[in-house]
Amino acid sequence: MVDIVDAKFVTSAPNIAAAPESEQQNEVVFMARSNVGKSSLLNALTNHKGLAKVSSTPGKTRLINYFDVVFLDRESAFKKEAKFVDLPGFGYAKVSKSIKYDWEKNLTDYIAQREQIKLFIHLVDCRHPHLDIDTSVSEFLLDNTKEGQYILQIFTKIDKLNQKEQNALRREFPEALMVSSSKKRGLSKVLQVIYDILEDKVEDAD
Ligand SMILES: Nc1nc2c(ncn2[C@@H]2O[C@H](COP(=O)(O)OP(=O)(O)O)[C@@H](O)[C@H]2O)c(=O)[nH]1
Ligand SMILES: [Mg+2]
C-alpha cells in the first residue's frame, strides 16, 4: 500500500519558461476541464484539504501550480519524492478545428516540451465521457507523449453513477480508473498506479 505522507505547495508559473528547474523526470500532471473535480482529487490524494483550493469560480486560475509530494510505500518503507502539477482547467472556449485554438498555447507547449513530466493524468467527468474537448486532449496527448511518459485517464465523480452505469463505463474504457473524491473511492488504486509508474514498475509504456 502506498500513501502520500507529505504534500506542500511549491510555486506557480505562468508558462514553461518559468517552470521550476529539475533534473528528475518525476512530474505528474493533472489536467481537466474546469469543474471536473481536479482540485478535489488533488486534496483527496494528498489527504490535505486545502492543498489545491477548491474553487467556486471555475477557470479563474490561469497558472501552473506545483506541489512537492512524498510517497511512502508501506511494505518497503521506501520514500519517493515527486511533483504534482496542477494545470489550468480547459474547455471554456469553443471547440474548433485544432486543440491549439480552443486551448491555451501555453498548455500545449507545456505538455509537448516539459521533459520532467513522467505521467499525464487526464480527468474526465464520468457523466460526460465523450466530450469533443476531452477527445482532443486524448489525441493531443497520444501524439505528444515521448518515450518513458505515460497517460492515465481517470473518471471523476463516480458516486454520480449507479452500478450498472459504472460497469458500462468500465467496459468501454477498460484502462481508465474511477474515483470519487467526495466518497473517497478509488483513491488508493490511483496512488498505487502513480507510484508504480514513477518507479517504472509498469510494462506497457505508450
Ligand atoms: N459528487 C461529487 N462531486 C464532486 C467530486 N469531486 C468534486 N466534486 C464537486 O465538483 C465541483 C468542482 O470541484 P473542483 O475540485 O473545484 O473542480 P476543478 O475545477 O476541476 O478543480 C465542486 O462543487 C466539488 O464539490 C466527487 O467525487 N463527487
Ligand atoms: Mg480547481
Side-chain angles (χ1 to χ4, degrees), residues 145-204:
T145 43
K146 295 178 189 62
E147 220 187 311
Q149 294 184 326
Y150 294 79
I151 304 166
L152 174 64
Q153 184 162 323
I154 300 179
F155 287 107
T156 62
K157 308 191 187 184
I158 203 71
D159 55 285
K160 297 280 191 185
L161 298 187
N162 65 34
Q163 197 58 51
K164 205 176 151 200
E165 292 167 325
Q166 289 180 34
N167 293 344
L169 197 65
R170 197 166 273 123
R171 272 196 302 276
E172 189 178 353
F173 299 90
E175 319 237 288
L177 298 182
M178 298 185 177
V179 295
S180 166
S181 301
S182 52
K183 298 271 191 272
K184 304 240 175 282
R185 278 168 46 196
L187 299 172
S188 49
K189 173 76 180 173
V190 168
L191 286 175
Q192 185 73 53
V193 169
I194 295 174
Y195 180 81
D196 287 348
I197 288 172
L198 286 168
E199 285 287 287
D200 276 317
K201 283 191 201 158
V202 276
E203 292 296 306
D204 53 330

Side-chain angles (χ1 to χ4, degrees), residues 69-136:
V69 301
V70 179
F71 285 84
L72 171 64
D73 183 340
R74 298 263 173 214
E75 272 138 53
S76 62
F78 182 76
K79 282 188 177 178
K80 169 91 190 166
E81 292 180 3
K83 268 197 180 61
F84 280 3
V85 182
D86 184 1
L87 289 189
F90 55 82
Y92 270 78
K94 282 246 186 317
V95 174
S96 56
K97 273 178 250 150
S98 156
I99 189 170
K100 291 214 174 177
Y101 296 105
D102 61 81
W103 195 12
E104 280 154 53
K105 177 104 175 45
N106 269 347
L107 290 184
T108 51
D109 283 353
Y110 194 85
I111 290 162
Q113 294 169 22
R114 178 75 172 170
E115 290 175 349
Q116 288 85 344
I117 298 172
K118 183 71 181 174
L119 171 62
F120 296 93
I121 296 186
H122 179 198
L123 305 176
V124 177
D125 189 319
C126 67
R127 296 165 296 180
H128 310 287
H130 301 111
L131 296 183
D132 286 350
I133 182 72
D134 284 315
T135 307
S136 304

Side-chain angles (χ1 to χ4, degrees), residues 32-41 53-56 58-59 156-160 179-183:
R33 287 185 306 116
S34 298
N35 234 24
V36 163
K38 179 159 51 83
S39 297
S40 302
L41 182 62
K53 198 176 56 193
V54 178
S55 171
S56 53
T156 62
K157 308 191 187 184
I158 203 71
D159 55 285
K160 297 280 191 185
V179 295
S180 166
S181 301
S182 52
K183 298 271 191 272

